[in-house]
Each structure stands twice: as C-alpha cells, then as structure tokens.
Amino acid sequence: MARGKFNKRGGGKRVDAQSADEIEQRNQRLAEFEEQRAQRRAEEAEEGEEEEAEKEDDATEKAGATKPASKEEPEKGPVRVTTDEEHKRNLSKLEAVRKRREVAEARRKVDEEAAAAIEAEQAMKAARLQEDHDDDDDDKKKKKKKSKEKTIPKLTKIEIKKMKPAQMKEALKERELDIQGNAKALTQRLIDYEAAR
C-alpha cells in the first residue's frame, strides 16, 4: 500500500519487511486494527439506532397523547352547561363590555362634532379671506378707505402659524405691513404685530 498525501492509513513509520516473520507481524497488526475499527463502527451504529428508536417512541407518545384528546373532544359535545354563578358572571362581563362600547361611541361622536366645528370655523375663515382677497382686486383707493374704516380681526399665535404664506401676506396687507420675505419672516412679523396690539 502506497503512502501518500491523501492516504489515511499510512500512519507511523513504514518499514519494508525483510523476512516472513516481519510480514506476518505486519499482517497481524493490520488485522487487529481492522477488528477494532469494525467493533467501533458497530457500537456507533447501535447507539444511532437506539437514539432513533427513542425519537420514534417520543414522537409516537406525543402523537398518541394528542390523538386521543382530539377524539375525546367531539365525544363531549359542543354544549357546555354552566352554573348560575358562571351565568351571572358572564352576564356582568357582557354588561361591562356594553358600557365600554357606549362610552367609546359617545367619545367618538363628541370628537366628530368637535372636528366638524373646527372645519366649519376654518371654512368661515377661508371664506372671509377669499372675500377680502376679492375686495382687494378693486381700486386701490377704495381699498385704502375700506381698510381704514373696517376693524382688523385679532389673530392668535396658533392661527398665524396655521396660515399659508399667501394668507399671511393678505393679513399683512390688511395691517399695512411689509409683505416681503419667507414664511418664517412673515410669521414673525404677524406675531410681533399682534403681540403689540
């Protein structure tokens, strides 16, 4: 047998046999090695079979435990008789759930009404701004006279921050302020003016 890089049996020193005794000793060592290997493989195979058998037993036990339970449930029947106490407890839970739902429905209605009121208010403001914008298209002389005659509504800080730049410019025109600048500058100018009023 050749001793090479991929030969796994070529461990140890390899001595060329000089006599028949040496050849016999070598053959005897190889035979012992083969017997030990065969015995070791047999033991490993037995252990593997035992583990597989245990796994199968566990699987059958688990499957057996679940199958009878599933068979028993249909035999019991779907109707479950409850005692008076359980019935009263279930009714009280049901009543509590109904009350929670009624409270939640009432809250939802209040929120919807508040949202509708806010939308209506914003629509009115937008309509007022639109009317002011339409009036601004008239002669400049009339505009100046109107702005002097009519009272300018006071704006809150929140209303100013909600305004878009075009709306802020309209409000600044009403107040005869400069309308140049970005949205931040316009907002700050309006806030300062309303704070000083």
Side-chain angles (χ1 to χ4, degrees), residues 1-195:
M1 178 187 277
R3 183 173 176 194
K5 185 176 180 182
F6 300 106
N7 188 359
K8 299 199 179 179
R9 285 181 70 185
K13 287 187 177 182
R14 191 164 190 115
V15 181
D16 290 333
Q18 299 291 327
S19 64
D21 290 336
E22 289 175 355
I23 291 173
E24 195 174 313
Q25 286 176 351
R26 186 185 66 196
N27 288 342
Q28 192 175 8
R29 279 196 308 256
L30 287 174
E32 287 174 6
F33 178 76
E34 291 293 332
E35 285 176 15
Q36 288 173 355
R37 179 193 281 172
Q39 186 178 4
R40 193 172 59 241
R41 287 182 178 170
E43 289 173 359
E44 288 175 359
E46 287 177 7
E47 289 175 7
E49 289 174 3
E50 289 176 3
E51 289 176 5
E52 289 177 10
E54 289 176 6
K55 288 179 184 176
E56 290 175 4
D57 290 344
D58 291 343
T60 54
E61 287 177 9
K62 288 179 183 175
T66 57
K67 285 180 183 176
S70 63
K71 289 180 182 176
E72 290 175 9
E73 289 177 4
E75 291 174 7
K76 286 182 182 178
V79 178
R80 182 174 172 231
V81 178
T82 59
T83 63
D84 289 338
E85 294 174 11
E86 290 176 344
H87 183 67
K88 289 178 184 176
R89 198 175 330 129
N90 290 342
L91 286 177
S92 65
K93 287 181 183 177
L94 183 63
E95 189 64 31
V97 169
R98 284 183 184 153
K99 286 180 183 177
R100 281 196 304 253
R101 286 183 181 165
E102 289 173 0
V103 169
E105 184 67 23
R107 278 190 205 147
R108 187 184 60 80
K109 285 182 180 178
V110 168
D111 291 343
E112 285 179 358
E113 290 172 0
I118 290 171
E119 287 179 17
E121 186 178 328
Q122 288 177 349
M124 289 175 64
K125 286 180 185 177
R128 266 191 268 138
L129 286 174
Q130 185 64 31
E131 288 175 10
D132 292 343
H133 180 68
D134 291 342
D135 291 343
D136 290 341
D137 291 340
D138 294 341
D139 280 335
K140 293 179 182 179
K141 293 178 183 177
K142 290 181 181 178
K143 178 182 169 185
K144 288 180 181 177
K145 288 180 182 177
K146 284 183 183 178
S147 63
K148 287 180 183 175
E149 292 172 3
K150 78 173 181 183
T151 59
I152 300 170
K154 185 167 175 83
L155 296 172
T156 64
K157 189 174 183 180
I158 295 171
E159 290 174 342
I160 294 170
K161 286 188 175 183
K162 285 183 181 179
M163 285 179 157
K164 294 186 174 156
Q167 295 170 334
M168 283 190 275
K169 286 181 180 182
E170 292 299 322
L172 288 167
K173 282 179 186 176
E174 285 179 2
R175 289 156 181 78
E176 297 178 5
L177 297 172
D178 189 16
I179 60 168
Q180 298 298 319
N182 61 10
K184 264 188 176 178
L186 298 176
T187 305
Q188 191 59 45
R189 200 172 297 137
L190 259 178
I191 290 172
D192 293 339
Y193 178 82
E194 292 297 334

